[in-house]
Amino acid sequence: ELGFFIGALGPDRVAALVKGNIERPSDFDGVVYISLDNANWKAELGRELEAVGYQVDWNKAMRT
């Protein structure tokens, strides 16, 4: 599925959400990996979304 999204959107518009210790394929260079194990994953994802032009409502995004 990751390859499909990279092909459809381009690696600069794909962020992979991962949980646990996974092996990251080297042929997917340019893809951002955001660990769901990190307490800050919502902020990381929000920053990536803003970087490609999405508007993020930080009040809603940071609710638990």
Side-chain angles (χ1 to χ4, degrees):
E1 290 84 5
L2 183 58
F4 171 80
F5 285 110
I6 292 170
L9 303 173
D12 57 329
R13 298 184 61 88
V14 174
L17 303 176
V18 297
K19 187 166 180 95
N21 189 14
I22 65 157
E23 184 177 337
R24 297 176 181 180
S26 62
D27 56 338
F28 293 144
D29 288 339
V31 173
V32 174
Y33 290 87
I34 299 173
S35 174
L36 295 176
D37 299 323
N38 180 353
N40 240 1
W41 73 267
K42 289 181 183 179
E44 290 181 45
L45 179 58
R47 285 192 297 272
E48 292 299 324
L49 289 170
E50 282 186 329
V52 294
Y54 286 95
Q55 291 183 351
V56 176
D57 183 337
W58 287 101
N59 291 318
K60 290 180 181 178
M62 300 310 288
R63 289 186 191 155
T64 53

